[in-house]
Amino acid sequence: MIWNSGIGFGLFSSNESFYYHLITSLIIFINILIIYLSLTADKIRSNMYVIILGGSLGNLFDRLYYSAVPDFIDLNYNGLHWFIFNVADIFISIGIFCLIFIEILDYKNKKNEK
């Protein structure tokens, strides 16, 4: 287990207080934006935004309470390591991948209608 002061998958980790607070403020702003998007989007997109928001709020709680996010899932194969991450990161990633997939399908459907 490691304590991550950056964002998902350990990106932008820093020991400097200014950057930590800047990233935390940005995360709060993005969460507010996601709440707005979830309230204005259609049902399937709204569900994906809520999945992303759930993961993000879990990480935000850890950032505010512990000043870092505990990452504890370490995938490796034959000595090759991927990023260390947590369950909240999984939900954020699943929600984003599903939104991308929905947009691709929607684009193809609109293109075929023409």
Side-chain angles (χ1 to χ4, degrees):
M1 182 174 97
I2 63 165
W3 289 94
N4 173 10
S5 63
I7 61 173
F9 303 107
L11 301 173
F12 306 117
S13 292
S14 174
N15 290 332
E16 293 190 37
S17 176
F18 172 77
Y19 293 115
Y20 178 81
H21 293 301
L22 180 68
I23 290 171
T24 302
S25 299
L26 182 62
I27 291 169
I28 291 170
F29 174 75
I30 290 170
N31 281 337
I32 293 168
L33 179 63
I34 291 172
I35 290 169
Y36 171 77
L37 291 172
S38 70
L39 294 173
T40 59
D42 59 55
K43 185 168 179 132
I44 187 76
R45 286 179 179 86
S46 179
N47 289 336
M48 295 306 113
Y49 286 127
V50 169
I51 289 171
I52 295 167
L53 183 64
S56 181
L57 288 176
N59 279 343
L60 180 61
F61 172 82
D62 289 337
R63 289 180 71 81
L64 296 174
Y65 192 77
Y66 300 110
S67 298
V69 175
D71 287 339
F72 52 87
I73 300 172
D74 182 15
L75 301 179
N76 62 70
Y77 179 74
N78 285 337
L80 300 173
H81 288 270
W82 187 248
F83 298 108
I84 300 174
F85 55 96
N86 62 31
V87 175
D89 294 334
I90 294 170
F91 279 92
I92 294 168
S93 298
I94 288 171
I96 290 171
F97 285 128
C98 288
L99 277 176
I100 291 169
F101 184 70
I102 291 165
E103 291 300 321
I104 290 170
L105 287 179
D106 194 37
Y107 175 79
K108 286 185 178 185
N109 288 339
K110 287 181 182 177
K111 188 176 178 183
N112 289 336
E113 288 176 2
K114 290 182 179 182

